Each structure stands twice: as C-alpha cells, then as structure tokens.
Amino acid sequence: MSAEYATFGLAPAIRSGGLLANGDYQVHRDFVDFVVDGRPLLFRLCDLDAVSPLASDVPPAVFTDRVRGLLLETEAPLPAGRYVVYGCPECADLACGAVTAVIERDGEDFVWRDFAWQTDEHADLEFNGYHGIGPFRFRGAEYRAALAALLDDGSPGARRRVLLIGPRVALLARLAAALRTIGVGADIAQDAEGVTADELRAYDAVVFGRSAGAGERDAVRRAFAAAGADVPCVDGLAPAVPLLVAQTEHALDRSPREQRRLTELTAAGDAAEVEVTSSCRVRLTAYRVDRLSRTHARDVFDGVLEPGRHRVPLDPRAVRGEAFVVARAAGTVLVATVGR
C-alpha cells in the first residue's frame, strides 16, 4: 500500500453541551480525539457534530475494549474490517450516522483507509465515501504507544463538576438543573467557607451569579488558591440560564487554541466578528435583557464558514440594550458582550 507516513497522536477534546434558543439541548461529552499530522482528524470533516469512541463516560471495560479494537487486538465491530472513528454524541447509535474506516496492519505499520459515512452495517464508498481523506499510514511503534498509554491511564477524566456561588438560589437552581441535564454536575453554595480542600479540588470551574458581591468572589478565589485548585472563575453576565450554560461550557474547555474550531468572538454595534480555524457550521445566538430584566434569545446566523475571520451582521433589534452573543461550532462555544 502506497500511503505516505503520517504522524499519529491523541488529545483531549470536548463536545460542548448547551441549551439552544429553540428549546433543544445538547449533551456535554469529554473524549479523546485522534490527531493526524498535528491536526485533529475531526477538523477534516466539515460540519460534523460527533465524538470519537474514546469518551470519558463509557464504562471502563467498554473503553478498554475500544482501545484494543483500534490496536487490532479484537475483531472489527463492522463488516470488512471497519471501525467507528466518530459517532453520534447523543446516543452513539449507528443509525444516526457515523464516520467509519478500515483499519489494518501492513507489516509493522497501521493503515486507516476508505473513510465513509455509514448508517447501517455496510458502507457505500461510492456514494458516502470521504474521498479526500486518507489513506493514512502510521508507524507501528508511535501508534501503539499512543493508544497503550490510554490503557495505562484509564478512561480520560471523570464527569465535570462546577460550583455555583451566589445568593439568588432560584436562578442558580435553574442553572444547576440545566447543567445536570447536559451532563455537567453542579453544586450551589453562598460561599466556600468550611469546604474542605479535597472537595474544592474536585471542581472544574466556579460560576458566580451576578448578585454575588466582590468580597464574596475574592473569598472564594482565595479558598480555591489555598486548596491548590487552579480553576477558571466565571462572572455570570446576565440572569439567562442558556447564556450562563454557554459561559460554563467555555470555561470547561481546556483544549489548546490550535485544537479549537472557534478561537475568537467579538461583537459591537450591528455586527459580530468570529475567527474560524477549520471549515465548520457556526451558529450565532443573540441574547438581550430588557428593562424589566426579561431575557430574549434569537438565532441570528446558522451556516458553514471557511477558515479565517468573518464579519456577521446582527439585527439591531436582537441586540439593543444589554446584549450578548454566543457562537457555537462542534466542540467549541464562545461568549461575547455586545459593545456600543
């Protein structure tokens, strides 16, 4: 087989959860992505909302079996030596569609070839093949070392947990319920006084409600610092649960900048500017708070953007007054205040 050598690696990734303007929600998923020639393989698949089989929330025995499958130590789960590379982030059902590939040995090397979109037992390469992707030839030692490390370290991370701080319990309770719905654990407290260091180190982020005072916020930050817990602290922008969920998801994303599809979002006046690293579907949602403290949400853009910086017009009625914009792409969410 004549495929040129490519480098193989693994990197932690997330599929950000969230509450959407139409009332739907998407689940937060932590997973390990495949990195080919220094770039996430998922980024080569335009407009695909998917996760790899190496997700943190699968049972340890299943996770181990999937890693051994990629090492070709177990039988392929699909006919013709095909393996699922990316699947549905909500249910992992093949009927929802999955990216599959033939994985085989060639001497000491491992080869991934014949990538296809598949919805049943058999792949139709003519109609559903990804003809511009692969084949990839990986050096056996590099390939085995990367996957074997997962067997030594175990499943990639535990369920995410955040601590919500503030006196407005009703709003924080709705936020906690929303976060739990998308798969992120959440606890509510007025402060961090009396919380043990071990418990503080179990949190991945802190979210302050807008009504939390400056003194309260400083005390919480000092408590986490004293516990040796370096976690992002989120200052809630508005009493809007979907917006707060988006801020939380952004804080939970610790991936390097080069592994994010969206790297920058700004908004001012009648336009937003968004920077995209790979071709992907981007959705922009505007949130505004009126004089009666009611929140209004509207999707203002939904389309595929090519790599680069893009200026997206905003309907002035959707961003008048106190307003914010949320940008979503597969695996990335950004939040910006609309400047005047």
Side-chain angles (χ1 to χ4, degrees):
M1 189 171 293
S2 60
E4 296 182 359
Y5 278 109
T7 62
F8 180 85
L10 301 168
I14 71 168
R15 187 269 194 156
S16 58
L19 305 184
L20 307 183
N22 62 4
D24 293 340
Y25 70 89
Q26 57 187 38
V27 175
H28 176 103
R29 301 290 304 279
D30 292 275
F31 65 100
V32 174
D33 199 5
F34 308 110
V35 179
V36 178
D37 285 337
R39 184 174 180 232
L41 180 60
L42 187 58
F43 285 17
R44 300 173 187 257
L45 305 167
C46 176
D47 190 23
L48 182 65
D49 181 17
V51 299
S52 82
L54 307 178
S56 65
D57 51 0
V58 300
V62 175
F63 183 86
T64 298
D65 186 63
R66 291 176 178 178
V67 174
R68 294 196 181 283
L70 295 173
L71 288 167
L72 302 184
E73 295 176 2
T74 60
E75 187 176 350
L78 297 170
R82 302 192 72 83
Y83 292 78
V84 173
V85 179
Y86 294 108
C88 173
E90 299 288 343
C91 66
D93 192 331
L94 184 61
C96 290
V99 177
T100 67
V102 174
I103 300 179
E104 61 188 8
R105 282 195 187 92
D106 185 18
E108 288 296 311
D109 301 334
F110 288 78
V111 176
W112 289 23
R113 62 174 175 85
D114 295 341
F115 287 81
W117 178 254
Q118 195 166 338
T119 56
D120 55 31
E121 286 280 304
H122 299 280
D124 189 330
L125 292 178
E126 182 178 353
F127 291 99
N128 295 316
Y130 287 99
H131 302 294
I133 298 179
F136 300 115
R137 175 183 291 272
F138 305 117
R139 290 180 172 84
E142 179 183 56
Y143 183 89
R144 284 189 293 270
L147 289 168
L150 292 180
L151 296 177
D152 295 335
D153 296 339
S155 184
R159 184 170 183 249
R160 300 283 186 169
R161 288 182 67 202
V162 300
L163 179 63
L164 312 181
I165 298 289
R168 291 189 59 183
V169 177
L171 173 63
L172 296 182
R174 295 198 301 273
L175 174 58
L179 289 170
R180 291 167 189 150
T181 297
I182 67 171
V184 177
D187 300 317
I188 302 172
Q190 190 160 345
D191 54 48
E193 185 177 351
V195 182
T196 66
D198 286 342
E199 188 173 353
L200 291 177
R201 286 193 290 268
Y203 291 106
D204 299 286
V206 177
V207 180
F208 296 110
R210 278 215 304 191
S211 54
E216 295 170 290
R217 300 178 192 220
D218 290 342
V220 170
R221 290 188 176 98
R222 286 195 300 270
F224 273 87
D230 181 17
V231 300
C233 294
V234 177
D235 292 317
L237 291 175
V241 170
L243 181 65
L244 294 172
V245 170
Q247 285 189 267
T248 304
E249 281 289 345
H250 174 63
L252 292 175
D253 187 355
R254 302 296 190 90
S255 60
R257 180 183 174 91
E258 62 271 15
Q259 292 178 12
R260 302 185 186 188
R261 280 187 153 156
L262 303 179
T263 54
E264 190 173 346
L265 172 68
T266 58
D270 60 353
E273 290 195 0
V274 59
E275 189 170 11
V276 180
T277 60
S278 64
S279 179
C280 62
R281 179 186 177 190
V282 178
R283 177 187 289 130
L284 296 182
T285 304
Y287 295 88
R288 71 178 184 87
V289 181
D290 65 20
R291 289 176 292 179
L292 298 178
S293 296
R294 296 173 301 191
T295 303
H296 306 266
R298 185 191 302 182
D299 286 331
V300 293
F301 176 81
D302 190 350
V304 175
L305 296 179
E306 297 301 318
R309 194 171 184 88
H310 301 268
R311 181 178 175 85
V312 180
L314 300 175
D315 184 342
R317 294 171 297 179
V319 294
R320 66 174 180 265
E322 186 181 19
F324 313 91
V325 174
V326 173
R328 287 187 177 278
T332 312
V333 58
L334 298 177
V335 181
T337 300
V338 179
R340 300 298 163 194

